[in-house]
């Protein structure tokens, strides 16, 4: 009985530590997979309809795998996105039989923690396993990146790489290779996120226009971001806390300079520093979304202070990437 077979896969979200935006122009970046995951369960259906439910969003819809369309008029534009990722992931994993897909999200949506990449990666793994296709982690990451390109139009490989492989990863120039950074101490990190969400596509476009208008001013900023990533790589591996904090703060200044800061993000950045963080910066696209604070010995103070106005939580590194549950 097909209906009785079910497979669950999960994949972690991520946070960018250094190099957001610059990575779009081929610069290196460092990101960490975080201990917040997306869980995707796939089981067979007796009828010939494929259906998806995303519990935390209250979203559900029917998918047409043959024509690649979503058949649900109940899905608002805002929530349609997540169904697009699931649909394209099922197709990439060569799903032809009708299935019931349940997505459970431990990752806050719109906080820049890569929830769509985590859902994509977990769906590709669960569907491949359900379809009895052997797939390597490298293949999952490649297919997931193609799904992101299909749905978003543009995307770097950061989110899909981290959700697939886990750990802390240095993505080299032009994403030619990724290096797993061996960090043998718990990174004391806090995420603070605002209710306002930034639109990654629009922010990337805004930055692109600035570069076109002022290349002589903007290009050196991106060179500095690259230098920061290279200093950070060594500092993170060696546990040089003061250096990590210092360059996070410099990186924040540069993100402000390229125009992706907001008043809410800035307030959180300063709240974190006042509460004892030695470094704090925007993580991800900005324009809303999240900040990350580096707070050795002060995690609780930073979480408490940010929580007075916005939402904050501690994160730990997820060493494991995508996995079958
Ligand atoms: C968004 O999380 C990070 C950006 O660098 C865009 C990308 O890498 O695709 C702004």
């Amino acid at each position: 009985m097909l209906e009785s077979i079910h497979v669950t896969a999960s994949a972690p979200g991520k946070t960018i530590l250094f190099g957001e935006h610059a990575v779009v122009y081929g610069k290196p970046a460092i990101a960490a997979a975080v201990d917040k995951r997306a869980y995707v369960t796939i089981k067979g259906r007796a009828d010939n309809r494929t259906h998806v439910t995303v519990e935390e969003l209250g979203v559900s819809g029917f998918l047409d795998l043959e024509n690649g369309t979503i058949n649900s008029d109940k899905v608002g534009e805002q929530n349609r996105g997540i169904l697009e990722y699931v649909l394209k992931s099922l197709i990439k994993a060569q799903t032809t039989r009708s299935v019931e897909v349940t997505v459970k999200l431990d990752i806050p949506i719109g906080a820049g923690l890569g929830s769509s990449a985590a859902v994509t990666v977990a769906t590709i793994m669960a569907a491949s396993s359900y379809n009895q296709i052997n797939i390597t982690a490298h293949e999952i990451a490649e297919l997931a990146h193609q799904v992101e390109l299909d749905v978003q139009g543009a995307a770097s490989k950061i989110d899909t790489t981290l959700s697939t492989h886990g750990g802390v990863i240095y993505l080299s120039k032009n994403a030619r290779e990724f290096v797993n950074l061996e960090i043998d101490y718990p990174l004391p990190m806090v995420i603070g996120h605002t209710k306002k969400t930034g639109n990654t596509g629009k922010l990337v476009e805004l930055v692109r226009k600035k570069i076109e208008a002022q290349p002589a001013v903007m290009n050196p900023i991106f060179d500095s971001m690259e230098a920061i990533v290279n200093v950070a790589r060594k500092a993170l591996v060696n546990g040089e806390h003061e250096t990590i904090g210092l360059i996070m703060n410099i990186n924040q200044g540069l993100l402000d300079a390229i125009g992706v800061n907001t008043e809410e993000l800035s307030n959180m950045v300063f709240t974190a520093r006042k509460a004892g963080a030695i470094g704090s910066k925007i993580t991800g696209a900005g324009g809303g979304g999240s900040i990350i604070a580096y707070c050795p010995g002060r995690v609780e103070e930073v979480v408490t202070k940010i929580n007075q106005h916005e939402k904050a939580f501690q994160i730990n590194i997820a060493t494991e990437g995508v996995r079958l549950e």
Side-chain angles (χ1 to χ4, degrees):
M1 283 298 281
L2 270 182
E3 299 97 273
S4 61
I5 303 171
H6 63 93
V7 180
T8 300
S10 77
K14 66 90 198 41
T15 180
I16 298 180
L17 302 180
F18 298 97
E20 48 276 273
H21 285 288
V23 72
V24 176
Y25 302 96
K27 301 292 192 191
I30 297 175
V34 301
D35 57 348
K36 308 245 169 241
R37 306 181 75 88
Y39 296 82
V40 176
T41 299
I42 298 192
K43 56 184 182 191
R45 273 177 70 106
D47 58 10
N48 61 356
R49 307 182 81 192
T50 286
H51 184 254
V52 187
T53 308
V54 187
E55 294 181 354
E56 288 69 24
L57 293 178
V59 174
S60 61
F62 286 97
L63 309 179
D64 184 333
L65 297 177
E66 219 167 293
N67 298 314
T69 52
I70 298 170
N71 294 331
S72 174
D73 42 35
K74 274 194 247 135
V75 187
E77 265 319 300
Q78 222 188 342
N79 292 328
R80 204 179 172 79
I82 194 94
L83 297 186
E84 294 268 2
Y85 290 100
V86 174
L87 170 67
K88 298 223 150 80
S89 301
L90 290 174
I91 294 171
K92 286 275 184 230
Q94 302 173 38
T95 313
T96 47
R97 289 171 291 177
S98 52
V99 288
E100 180 69 39
V101 183
T102 310
V103 179
K104 279 178 70 88
L105 287 168
D106 204 14
I107 310 169
I109 313 281
L113 294 184
S115 52
S116 52
V119 168
T120 301
V121 165
T123 306
I124 291 173
M125 179 157 218
S128 301
S129 170
Y130 181 81
N131 297 328
Q132 298 182 325
I133 293 167
N134 283 330
I135 189 163
T136 63
H138 176 75
E139 287 163 344
I140 293 176
E142 280 305 311
L143 292 178
H145 180 57
Q146 287 170 22
V147 170
E148 285 216 322
L149 288 179
D150 259 17
V151 179
Q152 294 165 212
S156 71
K157 287 191 169 174
I158 287 198
D159 291 18
T160 43
T161 302
L162 267 296
S163 288
T164 304
H165 298 283
V168 181
I169 284 175
Y170 169 87
L171 197 74
S172 75
K173 254 177 126 76
N174 297 312
R176 269 192 214 105
E177 52 162 2
F178 64 87
V179 181
N180 190 32
L181 302 184
E182 296 288 339
I183 295 176
D184 58 5
Y185 59 97
L187 283 177
M189 294 187 299
V190 170
I191 296 283
H193 73 100
T194 63
K195 282 163 228 88
K196 247 197 222 162
T197 58
N199 178 317
T200 302
K202 280 194 185 142
L203 285 147
V204 167
E205 200 39 43
L206 181 133
V207 173
R208 186 182 302 284
K209 286 208 176 110
K210 270 201 186 130
I211 296 174
E212 277 163 20
Q214 292 297 338
V217 176
M218 293 289 280
N219 289 331
I221 297 179
F222 288 99
D223 292 340
S224 290
M225 288 180 175
E226 177 172 7
I228 286 172
V229 170
N230 291 324
V231 171
R233 181 178 175 176
K234 287 204 194 85
L236 281 164
V237 171
N238 298 331
E240 294 162 17
H241 299 306
E242 293 302 326
T243 306
I244 296 167
L246 174 70
I247 55 177
M248 272 178 106
N249 292 340
I250 298 173
N251 199 344
Q252 170 63 13
L254 300 178
L255 288 165
D256 194 1
I258 66 170
V260 300
N261 201 5
T262 66
E263 193 177 338
E264 291 85 357
L265 291 170
S266 207
N267 286 341
M268 280 199 291
V269 159
F270 285 107
T271 302
R273 291 181 197 167
K274 262 201 239 160
I278 54 176
S280 54
K281 63 178 275 294
I282 291 165
T283 175
S290 297
I291 66 140
I292 179 158
Y294 192 70
C295 354
R298 301 302 290 265
V299 165
E300 267 168 38
E301 289 86 339
V302 172
V303 169
T304 307
K305 281 283 181 225
I306 296 178
N307 264 333
Q308 287 173 359
H309 300 285
E310 305 280 2
K311 272 216 162 347
F313 50 86
Q314 180 178 5
I315 46 160
N316 297 300
I317 306 299
T319 46
E320 228 186 325
V322 67
R323 66 177 182 225
L324 286 174
E325 293 292 324

